[in-house]
Amino acid sequence: MLTKRIIPCLDVDNGRVVKGVSFINLRDAGDPSELAKFYDREGADELIFLDITASSDNRDTMVEVVRDVSEEVFIPLTVGGGIRQISDVRKMLEAGADKVSLNTAALGDPDIVKESASFFGSQCIVVAIDAKRISDPFNSDSYQNASVNETLKIDENTVWEVYTHGGREPTGVDVIKWSREVAKLGAGEILLTSMDMDGHESGYDLELLQLVSTTVSIPVIASGGAGTLEHLREAIEVGRADAVLAASIFHFGTFSISQAKKYLSERNIAVRPIR
């Protein structure tokens, strides 16, 4: 039986781990290397490190921070933010990352997903999708000039739109269509974040999660909204997620990794035991 993974997320801005609400109002959560060590000891299954302002600030991911973090952990490390070309993927893997997360660059040039997966292996390539519900009535005129593949554009049936640049830029791309596309391109996993739920601690967007998880054949990591241990269970059992990512509940001491694993195990959800 495949086990479900518990993954703390280190959102890093200016060398510090931060946590916000719906991608804004960031507050400090600590030093990335120290937190990485802590989660490794606590029994996390993986870590995700996201340089959340690298793309919006048009700069590279902080390689030294990645190297420092990788030296402190013995669990798989995924790194994202500011990855623009295949040479950046190589740089992150050489700095100690086990996987690289692509988001803004993948929308700009989907071939980077295909080429990276072909060169380094699909298991190394994660595509992060920041999804936001469309609140206004659909207006095709707003997106007729969007520089995206016509088959990926939002339409009257779209519920969620893809955002890039750390959740700052709407793309005119439908989340479900984009999920299918990145799976075809060779991505090994999807990191799916609900911008609407992120940081609110009121639960994951289960409708979004279930739809993407049942649409693609690759693993989906649930992100955005964990506030209780029950939310983790819902993401797995209702949302059909293969892994659950959380930040606030772990960073600020609401729950520990061991509490999360014990809770899920008691509800017959297979998790890796803490070594």
Side-chain angles (χ1 to χ4, degrees):
M1 181 185 295
L2 291 177
T3 57
K4 302 301 182 180
R5 292 166 288 154
I6 308 294
I7 307 176
C9 182
L10 307 182
D11 288 337
V12 177
D13 183 24
N14 292 319
R16 298 286 294 178
V17 177
V18 296
K19 186 64 194 125
V21 176
S22 294
F23 287 37
I24 59 174
N25 299 324
L26 303 178
R27 57 174 170 156
D28 188 271
D31 175 78
S33 295
E34 290 302 315
L35 275 174
K37 271 196 297 190
F38 171 76
Y39 287 128
D40 187 43
R41 290 195 308 266
E42 283 283 291
D45 296 307
E46 298 183 17
L47 278 177
I48 292 181
F49 172 101
L50 299 176
D51 189 340
I52 60 173
T53 54
S55 291
S56 60
D57 292 350
N58 193 32
R59 61 171 173 75
D60 295 336
T61 308
M62 293 175 286
V63 178
E64 289 306 318
V65 178
V66 173
R67 187 172 288 113
D68 289 344
V69 170
S70 69
E71 289 174 353
E72 300 293 349
V73 301
F74 300 94
I75 53 177
L77 172 65
T78 299
V79 175
I83 311 295
R84 298 181 181 83
Q85 50 198 2
I86 197 166
S87 60
D88 296 327
V89 176
R90 179 190 294 278
K91 188 188 302 181
M92 290 302 104
L93 294 174
E94 289 177 346
D98 299 280
K99 306 176 190 178
V100 171
S101 173
L102 301 167
N103 185 335
T104 300
L107 260 297
D109 180 14
D111 279 345
I112 190 176
V113 179
K114 185 176 182 179
E115 292 170 6
S116 297
S118 176
F119 195 82
F120 301 108
S122 291
Q123 77 283 353
C124 291
I125 306 303
V126 178
V127 171
I129 300 177
D130 295 334
K132 189 179 177 82
R133 281 183 181 261
I134 294 177
S135 56
D136 297 323
F138 173 72
N139 179 0
S140 60
D141 293 338
S142 301
Y143 295 96
Q144 62 184 3
N145 295 319
S147 58
V148 296
N149 187 314
E150 189 69 35
T151 61
L152 299 177
K153 288 184 180 180
I154 65 173
D155 56 35
E156 64 276 5
N157 298 312
T158 298
V159 180
W160 299 274
E161 180 179 2
V162 178
Y163 273 61
T164 58
H165 295 83
R168 293 166 177 80
E169 298 289 338
T171 64
V173 172
D174 180 284
V175 167
I176 307 304
K177 294 176 182 177
W178 180 232
S179 299
R180 293 192 192 106
E181 182 66 13
V182 300
K184 288 181 191 173
L185 289 168
E189 283 185 296
I190 290 174
L191 170 56
L192 182 64
T193 300
S194 166
M195 292 178 59
D196 306 287
M197 306 303 286
D198 181 74
H200 290 274
E201 301 185 39
S202 56
Y204 299 91
D205 187 332
L206 298 177
E207 183 185 359
L208 166 67
L209 188 54
Q210 185 183 77
L211 192 52
V212 173
S213 296
T214 55
T215 294
V216 300
S217 59
I218 60 177
V220 175
I221 303 169
S223 171
T228 69
L229 299 180
E230 178 68 7
H231 293 154
L232 305 183
R233 183 198 65 78
E234 290 174 345
I236 294 167
E237 292 191 340
V238 181
R240 308 287 292 276
D242 297 273
V244 284
L245 178 149
S248 298
I249 63 170
F250 295 140
H251 293 345
F252 303 116
T254 308
F255 299 104
S256 66
I257 300 292
S258 59
Q259 285 176 311
K261 289 195 170 188
K262 182 174 185 290
Y263 178 89
L264 295 175
S265 180
E266 288 174 347
R267 283 149 185 82
N268 298 314
I269 295 174
V271 294
R272 296 172 185 168
I274 295 176
R275 62 183 184 273

